[in-house]
Amino acid sequence: HSFGKISIAIWFKYCKKIFGINFSSKDFLNYYFWDNTTVSFKYPLIKYLPKTGNILEIGTGPFATLSRFIESRNTDLNITATELNKDFYLSVCKVLTNNNSSIKVSNLNMFDGINEKFDLIFFNPPYAKSGDLEKIGVKRGTAEYMAGYGGENGTSVVIDFLTKAPKFIKPNGKILLGINNKYLNDLEIESVIRNISQLKLHSKFYGKRDNPPFSQIYTFTIR
């Protein structure tokens, strides 16, 4: 998910500055990713966030930064989230409890156990190829490795998400996918999109002239 590692204290500082979210020592988890794609999600979420309705985040990470950001802007939304990684899920439960959040989070794989449709679905998926994570010092088998590894070609989780998502989105809803193009470039994403007939690429939030700050946010609608 990132270009490198920073201390947890700096991550919390940036979360406060960028997202207006407070963290405390009670929210601490030994996780040191500087997640650029999370930052790039801020303005697309602001743009596409409905005034009312249901929101689904796939893969909250250890702090549920984006879901908490949404909740801080609109408490009338029903926010559901899933997190497959057990360590991250336990951390998220702790963070949400400490902050009196109403976000509903489950320790599930992607859409497992989900039985409703949403106005907005978003996902910052694992998309690092084999060897990418070792290059930045992430060891195989760790929570960080599992959070970043997207298969040998980096597209396995992305394909799974985009194939399943149309079943869970409302007719006029939006699906947002965040990708750091350093690890999975635009041509690779376009190749994936061409093979998923139910989705239409609505827009790339950061166009070529917009100089994306870190990562691209792909926006989809159903056909």
Side-chain angles (χ1 to χ4, degrees):
H1 283 44
S2 72
F3 288 110
K5 296 183 178 183
I6 62 169
S7 73
I8 203 70
I10 295 176
W11 172 241
F12 284 175
K13 179 180 178 181
Y14 271 92
C15 281
K16 171 62 177 176
K17 182 176 181 180
I18 297 171
F19 295 104
I21 296 174
N22 287 309
F23 289 91
S24 71
S25 59
K26 294 180 181 179
D27 299 328
F28 179 85
L29 180 70
N30 187 26
Y31 179 75
Y32 297 94
F33 259 106
W34 167 227
D35 192 340
N36 300 310
T37 309
T38 296
V39 176
S40 294
F41 260 110
K42 178 181 178 178
Y43 293 108
L45 286 175
I46 291 173
K47 178 175 180 178
Y48 294 116
L49 202 62
K51 293 181 179 179
T52 60
N54 299 332
I55 310 296
L56 174 63
E57 178 178 14
I58 302 296
T60 61
F63 308 118
T65 303
L66 294 174
S67 284
R68 289 185 59 207
F69 171 64
I70 290 172
E71 186 178 46
S72 72
R73 293 184 63 86
N74 186 346
T75 56
D76 292 330
L77 293 168
N78 298 313
I79 305 172
T80 301
T82 62
E83 174 53 59
L84 175 61
N85 186 292
K86 187 64 177 290
D87 290 338
F88 290 176
Y89 168 71
L90 294 174
S91 173
V92 165
C93 289
K94 182 178 178 182
V95 169
L96 297 181
T97 298
N98 289 342
N99 290 278
N100 299 313
S101 172
S102 62
I103 296 167
K104 297 173 289 187
V105 61
S106 300
N107 184 205
L108 296 171
N109 182 21
M110 209 166 292
F111 296 100
D112 290 352
I114 301 296
N115 299 306
E116 59 184 306
K117 293 183 181 289
F118 297 86
D119 299 279
L120 180 68
I121 298 173
F122 64 97
F123 188 23
N124 176 4
Y127 42 66
K129 300 181 181 69
S130 179
D132 284 342
L133 294 169
E134 287 93 334
K135 290 179 182 178
I136 58 172
V138 180
K139 295 181 180 179
R140 286 181 179 269
T142 63
E144 289 171 294
Y145 187 92
M146 290 184 285
Y149 182 61
E152 289 301 307
N153 297 319
T155 58
S156 297
V157 180
V158 171
I159 291 171
D160 192 27
F161 169 70
L162 292 179
T163 301
K164 293 176 179 176
K167 179 181 176 182
F168 299 93
I169 196 73
K170 293 181 181 179
N172 295 317
K174 297 289 191 301
I175 298 167
L176 306 185
L177 175 73
I179 299 290
N180 185 327
N181 291 138
K182 176 181 179 180
Y183 295 102
L184 204 58
N185 65 49
D186 201 53
L187 291 177
E188 290 173 300
I189 294 298
E190 289 183 0
S191 177
V192 168
I193 294 169
R194 283 195 295 270
N195 293 317
I196 300 174
S197 60
Q198 289 182 283
L199 285 182
K200 178 181 179 181
L201 181 63
H202 177 267
S203 65
K204 298 175 185 177
F205 189 83
Y206 299 104
K208 292 182 179 179
R209 297 181 180 179
D210 295 333
N211 297 316
F214 302 109
S215 301
Q216 182 61 266
I217 307 299
Y218 299 85
T219 306
F220 301 90
T221 56
I222 56 173
R223 292 187 186 276

